[in-house]
Each structure stands twice: as structure tokens, then as C-alpha cells.
Amino acid sequence: MENPLLLFPQLNISASKDKSYYKVMKSTIKEEPHKASKAGVSPEEAEKWGESFDKLLSEKAGLDAFTKFLKTEFSEENIEFWIACEDYKKSKTAHELLPKAKTIYETFIQKDAPKEVNLDFQTKEVTSQNIEQPIITTFDAAQNTVYRLMEQDSYPRFLRSDPYLNLVKGRNPSRPTLRRRSRSFTVNDFQGVRPDFTVW
């Protein structure tokens, strides 16, 4: 059998700490404390997320659950863009706006951006022009477009998803339900069966 340290390098305690997988592991370790809050979501709290998309996004646990769901659909760039816009609007000075606007534009909006969000031509054009002299409302049109897309498309699917339904039913989403093993034949099933040698 192969050495498990080769298959799972994160198990290697003596591994160099500057390797990229160490950084990844370190970031997941940092996230552990708020995993407890996710596990502690009550069915009542989860049910409230079904009342409106706003309610879901306004709660940390709801936002986390929805982000996790979007990752399974490979569309997490939408919620990441929305969060980046919310953070952008908290900027206190014009001096803060320019670098943040540039980063958001290059990450989510410009053509072939690494996490390009789905925007219509007109919204993209307006945002591209606004980026020259960014103000607090620079990304409002784009953010509203992405918000509506998530609300009308991803959110209804989230409400029908197993992780959400498990939360509403009070099941722990971090512990997957065990699948019952299918019954396979055993030696006992063949006891008493006489071989038919006439076939041979």
C-alpha cells in the first residue's frame, strides 16, 4: 500500500510550512471556530431563511450555508461578488474606494476576469465607465443584477437542496447520513444448493 503521507500530504507533520497546501490547511483551520455556529443552527432559524432571500443573507450562518451550496453548483463567484460590493460600500474615504474598486472590477467584471459574473452588456458598460472615478454607488447596478439572478435562480434551488432541508428537519449537515449497504450474497445463501454437474 502507498504511504498515506504521499496521498494526504496534510498528514505529514514534518512537511515544510511554506508549501501551498500548508497555507490551505492553515486557512481551513482558521475557519473551524465558526463551524460550531453552523452546526448550531436551529430548525426554526433555518426555516426563517425560507421567508426571504434578504433574511438568508442577513444572517452569518445563512450566508455561509448559501455560499457552501453555490460552491456545489460552481457559481460561488456571484455571492463573492455580492459580499465584495457590501464590503466596498463600507469604505470610509475616497482614498479607500479606488484600490477596492479596481480589485472588484479586475476580479469579477472585466472580460475574462478570474471570477467573472454574468452581467448584461449595458450594466457592464455602465460599471466600466464608473470605475474611472469610483464612488460608493459604482457597483450598485451590477450588484443588483447579480442579486436578482441569485434570488430568482439559485435561492429557490437552495431551498429545495438536501443540506437546507436537513437543517430545517434538525439534522446535522456536517455528518452525512449513512447509506445502508446493499445486501450481497453470502456463503450461507448457497448452503443446501446442490451443484448441477449435468451442465458440464
Side-chain angles (χ1 to χ4, degrees), residues 53-59 63 66-67 77-93 96-97 100-101 103-105 108-109 135-148 150:
F53 189 44
D54 273 338
K55 193 150 276 190
L56 173 71
L57 297 186
S58 67
E59 292 187 29
L63 184 60
F66 186 61
T67 303
E77 71 279 354
N78 291 326
I79 196 68
E80 286 174 14
F81 172 67
W82 183 85
I83 292 168
C85 291
E86 288 297 291
D87 177 64
Y88 174 80
K89 287 191 270 193
K90 290 175 190 163
S91 303
K92 302 277 190 289
T93 63
E96 280 180 70
L97 291 177
K100 278 187 180 181
T103 303
I104 291 172
Y105 182 75
F108 299 102
I109 294 173
I135 54 173
I136 287 289
T137 58
T138 293
F139 296 105
D140 280 6
Q143 188 184 12
N144 288 339
T145 302
V146 169
Y147 178 92
R148 278 198 311 276
M150 291 191 293

Side-chain angles (χ1 to χ4, degrees), residues 109-135:
I109 294 173
Q110 76 179 14
K111 190 171 166 44
D112 298 325
K115 295 183 176 188
E116 190 177 356
V117 290
N118 191 1
L119 296 173
D120 58 275
F121 178 76
Q122 192 181 353
T123 306
K124 209 169 209 177
E125 279 300 293
V126 168
T127 310
S128 301
Q129 287 160 14
N130 290 347
I131 207 79
E132 300 301 320
Q133 291 189 320
I135 54 173

Side-chain angles (χ1 to χ4, degrees), residues 134-169:
I135 54 173
I136 287 289
T137 58
T138 293
F139 296 105
D140 280 6
Q143 188 184 12
N144 288 339
T145 302
V146 169
Y147 178 92
R148 278 198 311 276
L149 179 76
M150 291 191 293
E151 184 181 35
Q152 292 163 12
D153 186 41
S154 309
Y155 176 59
R157 280 202 306 278
F158 169 72
L159 296 179
R160 293 191 302 268
S161 72
D162 286 342
Y164 174 71
L165 294 173
N166 285 340
L167 280 174
V168 171
K169 290 172 189 164

